[in-house]
């Protein structure tokens, strides 16, 4: 950004730097160097404090008289009266913190200072607030504890001690508590507060307390294995037995460590029961069996055949409920796109300032306004990438209405393509006149994504769109907009704007965090993204291509999104949360049960190009689901971006405008088109080539859109496709069927899914039936799992759906299920015959 000012007498004024700026102390507290040395200073203070405390144990009695009767000037220690290793400051500090306050617990003070210093130096990432509360509690608790248990013996051990082990603070609290509830009550208070503190530090404390009180709750029966290894001359098979054993058996009789089975010389075995292979292949012992019932504890003898090596089953690992779920799993090695994939330009981000051009424009503006009777006091210029903003201070008594309609006249005087007048400037006592630069700078996508604003943003869905007139990066959060309408005449940069939206999201989000639904009636705008469909896209199961180009499929997809929105709202209601952010936070912290259908929710961004063609073709079939999603889907993380090159009232209806508060207007051919998009003129005065007005609040902001070319997008898509990620797009739920389709989509019991029997056994064994459970257990799509659940309902295995709750299982046990399946398959065979 560059500014030049010119007063009415023609003299230029240059803004002088302030004293703070001149000496380099601007933004001192955000300076990394200042923070480093402040941390280093705290670290030195903590070391000196510890030295003074240690020295106080020896020199305290000698310095006591000086400390208690300190005269003016004695603290300077000119006569070396203080014998503390850190001098008078060390003696005074030690006396106050150790004797008057916390006793031996005062050592926690330098520890806290050291941790804070390391945090400022960025050596360790310490949670300062949590650490402060921990240290403060320990200091108070230890002070009282030492006062309660060591005061009576302190004088015998340290005859010359000038302080109590718990300090005056600990002694005062101890006496106060003992006076009220006695010494047993004091012990109870110390024990309860200690347990509460340990529980705050780790929730495992409660489990250990229970285990101490009743060890039998956590006593697990052990399994004894007796393995007879085969040699080349031995029998083909060997005997392996397994049964519950007592704790007093020798450890050598137990199953060898897992490392033993990794030895290539170890015999390769597989477990079988009565000659039949064990399923699943992992041998799992139920530790819930009672050790008092021999029949219940009996496990049949196992035969060992030379087949495959035994390996521990990962599925049997118990998750650590104290560690939040990593939502990036299992693709934790996914690498975000690098900036080297984007093109840079020589003049990128450096606006060209032609002082002769600025002076000439200022003179012409001043002369033109004088010709129309508008008195000007001063003019200042702000040079941007493609536009220069001239801020004009009007003379006394000049009405703003005189200048509002002079844009065409000023454009004629300046020989400019288009001039836009902002009267008045929001929050300022000036009038703004935006004039295109003769030499325009390209705003590359690389300069936007490489900016500190984008790198450090905490936005949920950051859209880095370009640079303002002041050369600042302009970003908005799509999650807060929550929907965006993009419009403008053909060839004015609308497609580049959509690519900038997609690119900024790809550079910031993980495949598990975001999914796109791309709708492209022209069939060519989004085809460049086909390589990332597995990583970042969502589609219906029966669709071959994730990028939707058929209008009929568009309607079905939008209805599917409406169904997904309703399902997510049911999950939010069941979880007791209000939005996707709260829901995902609960899920990641193990506060939601997977068996209830809960799962991590990615954001879904629906981008529709050529919205006008859809409205002309499908009309209300498209508009109604879009309006419903726009009205309700914000809380569940579904956001829409629709674009059109025909901003007319038949395309952008009142219903659409009311639900799309975010607007991005490129150049339009008429003032009426601008009013339809922005509810005000202005877009018709833009210069094209990415020049746009963005409305996300009260007043629109002029932005030069970031330029990202097709080869850059191809490189980004190619890079993402090589990263670990999902092997198929996210499957959207099957949309509700029309009345005419219901009969044809009825469940056909003669054509059951191949997984039907396994799914039935799984549901009956678990006692719960839900589509999401079947989907996870058998690693199939949501739609196939839904059809399986419909078939189970039709056959009487489960009851009807109950919203987001699991279905009721109608079959009582596996024996009843097997009888039912046998009859079902017999009937199907007879019918087929």
């Amino acid at each position: 950004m560059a500014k030049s000012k010119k007063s009415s007498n023609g003299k230029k004024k240059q803004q002088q730097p302030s004293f703070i700026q001149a000496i380099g102390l601007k933004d001192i507290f955000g300076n990394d160097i200042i923070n480093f040395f402040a941390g280093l200073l705290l670290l030195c203070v903590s070391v000196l404090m510890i030295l003074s405390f240690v020295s106080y144990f020896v020199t305290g009695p000698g310095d006591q008289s000086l400390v208690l009767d300190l005269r003016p000037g004695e603290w300077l220690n000119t006569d070396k009266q203080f014998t503390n290793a850190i001098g008078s400051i060390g003696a005074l500090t030690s006396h106050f913190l150790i004797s008057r306050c916390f006793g031996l617990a005062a050592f926690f003070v330098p520890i806290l200072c050291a941790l804070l210093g390391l945090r400022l130096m960025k050596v360790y990432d310490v949670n300062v607030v949590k650490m402060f509360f921990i240290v403060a509690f320990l200091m108070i608790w230890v002070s009282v504890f030492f006062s309660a248990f060591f005061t009576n013996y302190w004088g015998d051990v340290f005859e010359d001690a000038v302080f109590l082990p718990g300090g005056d603070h600990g002694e005062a609290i101890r006496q106060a508590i003992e006076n009220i509830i006695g010494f047993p009550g004091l012990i109870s208070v110390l024990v309860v507060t200690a347990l509460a503190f340990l529980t705050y530090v780790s929730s495992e404390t409660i489990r250990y307390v229970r285990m101490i009180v009743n060890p039998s709750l956590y006593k697990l029966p052990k399994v004894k294995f007796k393995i007879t290894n085969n040699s080349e001359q031995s029998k083909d098979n060997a005997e392996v037995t397994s049964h519950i054993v007592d704790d007093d058996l020798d450890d050598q009789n137990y199953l060898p460590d897992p490392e033993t089975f990794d030895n290539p010389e170890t015999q390769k075995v597989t477990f079988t029961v009565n000659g039949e292979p064990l399923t699943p292949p992992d041998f799992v012992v139920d530790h819930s069996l009672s050790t008092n019932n021999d029949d219940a504890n009996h496990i049949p003898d196992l035969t060992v055949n030379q087949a495959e090596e035994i390996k521990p089953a990962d599925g049997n690992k118990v998750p650590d409920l104290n560690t939040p779920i990593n939502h990036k799993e299992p693709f934790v090695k996914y690498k975000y796109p690098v900036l080297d994939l984007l093109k840079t330009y020589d003049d990128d981000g450096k606006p060209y300032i032609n002082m002769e051009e600025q002076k000439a424009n200022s003179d012409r503006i001043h002369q033109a306004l004088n010709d129309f009777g508008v008195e000007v006091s001063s003019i200042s210029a702000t040079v941007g990438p493609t536009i220069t903003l001239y801020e004009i201070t009007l003379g006394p008594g000049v009405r703003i209405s005189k200048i509002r309609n002079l844009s065409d006249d000023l454009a004629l005087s300046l020989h400019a393509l288009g001039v836009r007048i902002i009267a008045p400037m929001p929050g300022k006592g000036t009038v703004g006149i935006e004039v295109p630069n003769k030499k325009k700078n390209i705003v590359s996508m690389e300069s936007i994504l490489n900016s500190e604003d984008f790198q450090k943003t905490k936005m949920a869905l950051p859209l880095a769109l370009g640079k303002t007139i002041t050369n600042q990066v302009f970003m908005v959060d799509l999650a807060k907009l929550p929907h965006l309408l993009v419009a403008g005449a053909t060839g004015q940069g609308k497609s580049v704007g959509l690519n900038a939206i997609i690119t900024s999201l790809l550079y910031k989000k993980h495949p598990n965090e975001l999914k796109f639904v791309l709708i492209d009636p022209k069939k060519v705008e989004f085809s460049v993204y086909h390589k990332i469909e597995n990583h970042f896209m969502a589609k219906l199961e029966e669709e071959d291509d994730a990028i939707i180009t058929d209008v009929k499929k568009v309607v079905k997809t939008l209805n599917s999104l409406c169904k997904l929105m309703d399902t997510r709202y049911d999950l939010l209601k069941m979880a007791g949360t209000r939005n996707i952010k709260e829901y995902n936070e609960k899920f990641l912290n193990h506060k939601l049960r997977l068996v209830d259908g809960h799962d991590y929710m990615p954001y879904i961004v629906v981008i529709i190009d050529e919205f006008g063609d859809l409205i002309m073709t499908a009309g209300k079939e498209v508009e109604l689901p879009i309006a419903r999603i726009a009205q309700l889907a914000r809380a569940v993380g579904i956001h829409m971006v629709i674009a059109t090159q025909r901003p007319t009232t038949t395309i952008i209806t009142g219903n659409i405008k009311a639900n799309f508060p975010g607007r991005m207007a490129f150049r339009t051919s008429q003032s009426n088109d601008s009013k339809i998009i922005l509810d005000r003129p202005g877009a018709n005065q833009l210069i094209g080539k990415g020049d746009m007005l963005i409305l996300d609040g009260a007043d629109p902001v002029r932005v030069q859109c970031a330029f990202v070319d097709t080869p850059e997008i191809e490189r980004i898509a190619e890079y993402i496709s090589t990263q670990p990620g999902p092997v198929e797009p996210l499957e959207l739920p099957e949309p509700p069927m029309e009345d005419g389709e219901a009969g044809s989509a009825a469940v056909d019991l003669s054509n059951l899914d191949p997984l039907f029997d396994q799914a039935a056994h799984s549901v009956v064994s678990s006692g719960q039936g839900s589509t999401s459970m079947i989907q996870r257990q058998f690693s199939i799509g949501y739609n196939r799992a839904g059809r399986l659940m419909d078939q189970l309902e039709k056959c009487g295995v489960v009851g009807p759906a109950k919203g987001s709750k699991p279905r009721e299982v109608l079959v009582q046990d596996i024996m009843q299920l097997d009888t039912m399946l046998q009859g079902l398959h017999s009937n199907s065979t007879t019918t087929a015959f």
Side-chain angles (χ1 to χ4, degrees):
M1 178 183 75
K3 291 188 176 181
S4 62
K5 292 188 176 181
K6 184 176 181 180
S7 62
S8 58
N9 58 8
K11 294 182 179 180
K12 296 181 181 178
K13 296 181 180 179
Q14 293 184 350
Q15 185 178 3
Q16 297 295 329
S18 65
F19 175 74
I20 296 296
Q21 292 174 330
I23 64 176
L25 293 181
K26 186 179 180 183
D27 298 329
I28 183 172
F29 296 107
N31 192 307
D32 187 60
I33 298 177
I34 298 297
N35 288 340
F36 178 83
F37 281 101
L40 185 61
L41 179 61
L42 275 175
L43 200 59
C44 293
V45 168
S46 64
V47 173
L48 293 175
M49 199 177 296
I50 291 175
L51 291 176
S52 69
F53 287 178
V54 175
S55 177
Y56 182 70
F57 295 155
V58 179
T59 63
D63 293 338
Q64 184 74 356
S65 60
L66 295 172
V67 171
L68 296 178
D69 188 20
L70 187 66
R71 298 174 184 177
E74 283 187 342
W75 69 275
L76 296 174
N77 200 22
T78 55
D79 298 332
K80 304 295 183 181
Q81 295 172 303
F82 289 93
T83 57
N84 190 286
I86 310 301
S88 59
I89 295 298
L92 293 171
T93 303
S94 301
H95 171 74
F96 175 75
L97 291 176
I98 296 179
S99 178
R100 299 293 300 162
C101 292
F102 306 108
L104 297 176
F107 277 91
F108 285 109
V109 175
I111 291 175
L112 180 61
C113 292
L115 290 173
L116 181 57
L118 294 174
R119 174 68 172 83
L120 288 173
M121 294 171 68
K122 294 186 178 179
V123 177
Y124 291 103
D125 188 11
V126 180
N127 188 331
V128 177
V129 176
K130 183 177 181 180
M131 189 57 60
F132 172 79
F133 285 115
I134 291 176
V135 172
F137 174 85
L138 287 174
M139 195 160 51
I140 296 173
W141 191 90
V142 172
S143 173
V144 178
F145 178 83
F146 280 180
S147 179
F149 291 97
F150 297 106
T151 299
N152 294 334
Y153 312 103
W154 189 251
D156 298 336
V157 180
F158 301 97
E159 297 180 357
D160 297 331
V162 292
F163 63 93
L164 296 173
D168 293 349
H169 168 270
E171 184 66 18
I173 294 180
R174 179 190 68 82
Q175 291 179 0
I177 296 176
E178 281 193 7
N179 292 340
I180 298 174
I181 57 178
F183 186 72
L186 172 63
I187 296 177
S188 300
V189 170
L190 289 173
V191 171
V192 171
T193 53
L195 290 177
F197 168 74
L198 292 175
T199 304
Y200 168 73
V201 175
S202 173
S203 59
E204 287 291 305
T205 303
I206 297 177
R207 188 175 72 88
Y208 284 115
V209 172
R210 290 172 178 164
M211 186 168 58
I212 292 172
V213 175
N214 187 3
S216 63
L217 291 176
Y218 295 88
K219 184 177 180 182
L220 299 178
K222 298 181 180 179
V223 180
K224 178 183 177 181
F225 289 85
K226 182 180 179 182
I227 301 180
T228 304
N229 291 327
N230 288 346
S231 61
E232 294 181 358
Q233 292 82 16
S234 64
K235 298 179 180 179
D236 292 337
N237 296 330
E239 293 290 328
V240 176
T241 60
S242 169
H243 57 275
I244 306 299
V245 298
D246 296 330
D247 291 339
D248 55 358
L249 289 178
D250 296 334
D251 291 341
Q252 62 184 1
N253 293 327
Y254 298 153
L255 182 67
D257 293 333
E259 289 78 4
T260 304
F261 293 103
D262 294 332
N263 189 335
E265 298 180 359
T266 303
Q267 180 191 14
K268 297 184 178 181
V269 299
T270 184
F271 289 130
T272 61
V273 179
N274 298 328
E276 296 294 332
L278 249 161
T279 26
D282 310 303
F283 180 69
V284 181
V285 178
D286 186 0
H287 291 296
S288 63
L289 295 174
S290 170
T291 58
N292 297 325
N293 189 336
D294 294 337
D295 293 334
N297 292 337
H298 176 68
I299 299 177
D301 292 345
L302 305 177
T303 306
V304 182
N305 295 323
Q306 295 182 351
E308 60 181 286
E309 185 177 0
I310 303 174
K311 294 184 180 179
D314 293 339
N316 298 332
K317 293 176 65 177
V318 179
D320 183 5
L321 298 183
N322 294 320
T323 303
I325 298 173
N326 185 354
H327 66 278
K328 296 182 180 180
E329 290 181 348
F331 314 118
V332 293
K333 293 186 178 180
Y334 172 86
K335 294 182 180 179
Y336 294 84
V338 295
L339 293 173
D340 294 341
L341 302 172
L342 299 172
K343 186 178 179 181
T344 58
Y345 299 87
D346 294 337
D347 58 354
D348 188 18
K350 303 172 184 177
Y352 174 75
I353 303 174
N354 187 332
M355 297 307 299
E356 293 183 0
E357 178 186 351
Q358 304 306 321
K359 184 179 183 301
N361 286 341
S362 298
D363 292 340
R364 291 191 185 115
I365 291 173
H366 192 246
Q367 183 62 43
L369 293 177
N370 281 338
D371 292 342
F372 289 100
V374 178
E375 183 181 353
V376 177
S377 297
S378 64
I379 300 177
S380 65
T382 303
V383 182
T386 57
I387 300 294
T388 297
L389 172 64
Y390 295 91
E391 293 188 46
I392 299 171
T393 303
L394 301 178
V398 179
R399 295 179 179 271
I400 291 180
S401 57
K402 280 190 173 183
I403 197 174
R404 278 181 175 163
N405 298 322
L406 296 178
S407 58
D408 293 337
D409 300 289
L410 289 173
L412 181 62
S413 300
L414 297 170
H415 309 290
L417 178 61
V419 173
R420 179 170 171 259
I421 296 177
I422 309 171
M425 290 283 291
K428 298 182 179 181
T430 59
V431 173
I433 299 178
E434 296 174 345
V435 180
N437 298 334
K438 289 184 179 179
K439 181 180 179 181
K440 301 173 179 60
N441 296 88
I442 296 176
V443 177
S444 70
M445 199 70 203
E446 190 273 341
S447 66
I448 302 297
L449 302 184
N450 198 22
S451 65
E452 185 177 1
D453 294 337
F454 182 79
Q455 295 292 334
K456 295 184 177 181
T457 183
K458 300 298 182 182
M459 295 179 180
L461 295 173
L463 305 184
L465 300 176
K467 290 187 178 180
T468 63
I469 292 177
T470 58
N471 215 39
Q472 300 297 315
V473 173
F474 184 86
M475 290 193 305
V476 294
D477 191 353
L478 183 59
K480 294 182 178 179
L481 275 180
H483 309 289
L484 180 63
L485 170 63
V486 182
T490 303
Q492 303 304 316
K494 177 172 52 64
S495 298
V496 174
L498 294 179
N499 288 330
I501 290 173
I502 297 174
T503 302
S504 58
L505 291 174
L506 290 177
Y507 265 81
K508 206 66 178 177
K509 308 305 289 184
H510 188 273
N512 289 355
E513 299 174 325
L514 172 69
K515 299 296 178 184
F516 288 105
V517 175
L518 300 182
I519 299 175
D520 181 17
K522 288 199 303 186
K523 304 182 180 181
V524 294
E525 289 295 339
F526 295 146
S527 59
V528 69
Y529 296 105
H530 75 279
K531 289 186 178 181
I532 65 170
E533 67 176 31
N534 289 339
H535 286 72
F536 278 102
M537 293 193 194
K539 69 179 184 68
L540 292 168
E541 182 186 19
E542 65 269 15
E543 301 298 334
D544 296 329
D545 194 351
I547 301 173
I548 306 165
T549 57
D550 190 347
V551 175
K552 295 181 180 179
K553 296 178 181 178
V554 170
V555 176
K556 194 172 183 180
T557 300
L558 292 174
N559 289 329
S560 173
L561 289 169
C562 290
K563 183 176 180 180
L564 177 63
M565 176 184 69
D566 294 335
T567 302
R568 286 190 169 189
Y569 266 113
D570 290 337
L571 293 173
L572 259 64
K573 178 181 177 182
M574 188 163 52
T577 55
R578 296 177 299 172
N579 53 55
I580 186 174
K581 183 178 179 181
E582 295 177 2
Y583 176 89
N584 283 339
E585 185 176 352
K586 267 194 170 183
F587 177 82
L588 296 178
N589 287 281
H590 306 279
K591 296 180 180 179
L592 301 176
R593 300 196 310 163
L594 294 176
V595 294
D596 292 336
H598 293 294
D599 204 348
Y600 183 82
M601 290 185 186
Y603 285 95
I604 295 180
V605 177
V606 185
I607 302 181
I608 304 177
D609 192 22
E610 298 302 338
F611 175 67
D613 290 347
L614 295 181
I615 291 293
M616 298 294 292
T617 306
K620 292 294 181 181
E621 285 187 277
V622 169
E623 183 180 352
L624 291 179
I626 287 178
R628 187 163 183 264
I629 292 172
Q631 288 172 350
L632 301 173
R634 171 182 183 174
V636 294
I638 303 176
H639 304 275
M640 301 198 74
V641 178
I642 62 174
T644 180
Q645 61 183 6
R646 288 183 286 185
T648 61
T649 53
T650 57
I651 304 299
I652 306 177
T653 62
N655 198 13
I656 294 295
K657 289 179 64 176
N659 294 293
F660 282 78
R663 317 280 174 82
M664 195 161 81
F666 292 88
R667 186 185 180 189
T668 60
S669 56
Q670 303 177 43
S671 176
N672 288 337
D673 294 343
S674 177
K675 292 178 181 178
I676 292 173
I677 305 169
L678 301 172
D679 299 320
R680 69 199 75 192
N684 56 305
Q685 297 168 327
L686 300 175
I687 62 173
K689 296 183 179 180
D691 188 19
M692 60 183 177
L693 291 172
I694 298 178
L695 180 66
D696 66 337
D699 299 294
V701 180
R702 193 165 187 175
V703 177
Q704 178 61 39
C705 183
F707 179 70
V708 53
D709 205 357
T710 301
E712 297 176 75
I713 301 173
E714 290 175 345
R715 289 195 294 268
I716 295 171
E718 179 66 29
Y719 178 90
I720 293 175
S721 66
T722 62
Q723 296 301 313
V727 296
E728 60 183 7
L730 176 68
E731 191 173 314
L732 296 174
E734 204 57 42
M737 293 178 294
E738 301 294 337
D739 294 338
E741 299 176 356
S744 61
V747 177
D748 183 8
L749 296 182
S750 62
N751 188 22
L752 293 176
D753 192 285
L755 294 176
F756 178 82
D757 288 6
Q758 297 180 48
H761 280 87
S762 175
V763 168
V764 174
S765 299
S766 63
Q768 291 182 332
S770 67
T771 304
S772 57
M773 182 189 72
I774 293 178
Q775 181 185 5
R776 287 192 304 272
Q777 186 163 355
F778 295 101
S779 300
I780 59 177
Y782 183 87
N783 292 338
R784 184 180 179 186
R787 287 194 295 270
L788 267 170
M789 190 57 65
D790 292 338
Q791 293 175 358
L792 293 173
E793 179 186 354
K794 188 71 175 179
C795 294
V797 178
V798 297
K802 297 180 179 180
S804 59
K805 297 181 180 179
R807 300 183 185 225
E808 179 185 2
V809 180
L810 304 179
V811 179
Q812 301 300 322
D813 51 40
I814 297 296
M815 185 177 297
Q816 181 184 353
L817 175 65
D818 290 339
T819 303
M820 177 185 295
L821 293 177
Q822 185 177 2
L824 180 64
H825 292 314
S826 299
N827 293 336
S828 300
T829 304
T830 304
T831 303
F833 179 76

